[in-house]
């Protein structure tokens, strides 16, 4: 499986900044028209500019950072998967730890959002990951297993062709602390076996499991060189076209 590199811009990047970003990024990176291995997840207000900025460029995915499970209705502050389809994005991040930590996201709501996104034809990037306290208590695999089972409760094997799992240890996000490739690999392998138990080995083997948490140009290659690490979800290092282009380049090398 070729690695996939997704930028998570979080609450950054204005619409007016996208054109220049895209131009600069595309001057350093040649997208793969046959295999979209690069994507950008922007804030809602930047989505139209993001879609516009990469219009006609094959091999680049555009995405949002959350979606609701209803099509429309009295849900102040929410945006539906249908609305994301309408604006033209391809994927959506669901259950990011910042949403779980600060906005009351639970496995149950992640499950509802994920199924809806997949049914609408979006790629769902479902995030799991343990906190620092859970990591230190040796509970990583137990927590990740619970999150996976809960978050994928209603996702059928047929829906998984558009599913990506992101393993993001909370203690590594935005902290500069990266899980070592060995630690990350061991959790990714346990995620793969959990997916095998939920579906079967064939299905589990085809689901990309990407790593997030202070992924950078200088550590991405050793991460994606691991057998069960199929790419990265990148926050801080994705905010500048140069740093993200260098990261993608470094990550792509591994498979050459
Ligand atoms: P980071 O964020 O790369 O800044 O650690 C990753 C993420 O939260 O998706």
């Amino acid at each position: 499986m070729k690695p996939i590199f997704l930028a998570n811009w979080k609450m950054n990047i204005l619409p007016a900044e996208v054109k220049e970003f895209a131009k600069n990024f595309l001057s350093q990176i040649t997208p793969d028209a046959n295999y979209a291995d690069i994507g950008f997840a922007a804030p809602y207000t930047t989505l139209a500019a993001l879609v516009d900025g990469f219009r006609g460029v094959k091999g680049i995915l555009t995405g949002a950072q959350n979606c609701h499970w209803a099509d429309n209705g009295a849900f102040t502050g929410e945006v539906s998967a249908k609305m994301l389809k309408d604006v033209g994005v391809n994927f959506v991040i669901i259950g990011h730890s910042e949403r779980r930590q600060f906005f009351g996201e639970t496995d149950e709501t992640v499950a509802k959002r994920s199924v809806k996104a997949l049914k609408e034809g979006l790629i769902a990037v479902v995030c799991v990951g343990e906190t620092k306290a859970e990591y230190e208590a040796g509970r990583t695999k137990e927590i990740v297993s619970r999150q996976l089972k809960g978050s994928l409760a209603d996702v059928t094997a047929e829906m998984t062709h558009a599913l990506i799992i992101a393993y993001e240890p909370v203690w590594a996000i935005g902290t500069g602390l990266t899980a070592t490739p060995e630690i990350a690999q061991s959790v990714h392998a346990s995620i793969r076996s959990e997916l095998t138990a939920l579906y079967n080995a064939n299905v589990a083997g085809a689901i990309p499991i990407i790593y997030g948490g202070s992924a950078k140009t200088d550590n991405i290659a050793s991460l994606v060189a691991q057998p069960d690490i199929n790419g990265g979800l990148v926050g801080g290092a994705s905010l500048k076209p140069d740093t993200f282009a260098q990261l993608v380049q470094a990550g792509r090398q591994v498979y050459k």
Side-chain angles (χ1 to χ4, degrees):
M1 201 189 298
K2 282 194 200 169
I4 298 166
F5 307 96
L6 300 179
N8 177 9
W9 282 348
K10 307 192 179 183
M11 201 168 71
N12 299 287
I13 313 280
L14 293 168
E17 296 170 308
V18 172
K19 243 193 176 65
E20 194 53 38
F21 188 110
K23 199 174 125 203
N24 195 331
F25 182 76
L26 293 172
S27 73
Q28 304 178 61
I29 286 285
T30 310
D32 182 343
N34 300 313
Y35 184 87
D37 65 346
I38 299 167
F40 296 91
Y44 292 132
T45 51
T46 298
L47 292 181
L50 179 69
V51 170
D52 210 39
F54 287 102
R55 197 179 299 283
V57 182
K58 285 215 173 80
I60 300 270
L61 301 169
T62 54
Q65 301 166 13
N66 191 17
C67 72
H68 196 265
W69 53 87
D71 288 342
N72 45 55
F75 300 103
T76 303
E78 291 282 322
V79 168
S80 71
K82 248 196 165 52
M83 289 167 173
L84 296 183
K85 279 299 279 184
D86 180 68
V87 81
V89 298
N90 320 102
F91 77 96
V92 58
I93 297 173
I94 298 173
H96 189 279
S97 69
E98 284 149 18
R99 297 217 53 84
R100 291 179 187 259
Q101 263 183 296
F102 307 130
F103 303 101
E105 198 76 70
T106 63
D107 291 338
E108 290 70 33
T109 54
V110 172
K112 287 163 113 175
R113 295 181 201 276
S114 304
V115 165
K116 183 58 181 177
L118 291 164
K119 282 190 176 158
E120 279 305 319
L122 292 161
I123 296 168
V125 181
V126 176
C127 304
V128 295
E130 82 287 5
T131 63
K132 189 161 189 278
E134 289 161 346
Y135 172 70
E136 284 168 353
R139 297 178 58 207
T140 299
K141 290 182 184 173
E142 166 206 334
I143 298 296
V144 166
S145 158
R146 190 207 71 211
Q147 290 175 334
L148 268 183
K149 278 195 207 120
S151 304
L152 301 178
D154 301 319
V155 174
T156 64
E158 292 67 41
M159 292 177 186
T160 60
H161 69 272
L163 176 68
I164 295 177
I165 302 295
Y167 168 59
E168 301 204 300
V170 177
W171 49 270
I173 295 177
T175 58
L177 294 172
T178 316
T180 62
E182 293 72 28
I183 293 177
Q185 165 56 27
S186 129
V187 183
H188 280 235
S190 78
I191 291 174
R192 189 87 64 201
S193 25
E194 197 70 59
L195 293 171
T196 304
L198 285 174
Y199 305 107
N200 60 53
N202 275 347
V203 168
I207 299 173
I209 306 173
I210 65 177
Y211 169 84
S214 300
K216 303 249 165 1
T217 300
D218 58 9
N219 60 29
I220 193 73
S222 58
L223 286 161
V224 297
Q226 300 292 324
D228 289 297
I229 303 184
N230 309 115
L233 182 56
V234 186
S238 74
L239 295 176
K240 296 265 180 310
D242 293 17
T243 49
F244 192 54
Q246 284 155 16
L247 182 148
V248 171
Q249 239 143 27
R252 277 177 165 183
Q253 294 299 323
V254 176
Y255 282 67
K256 282 198 171 142

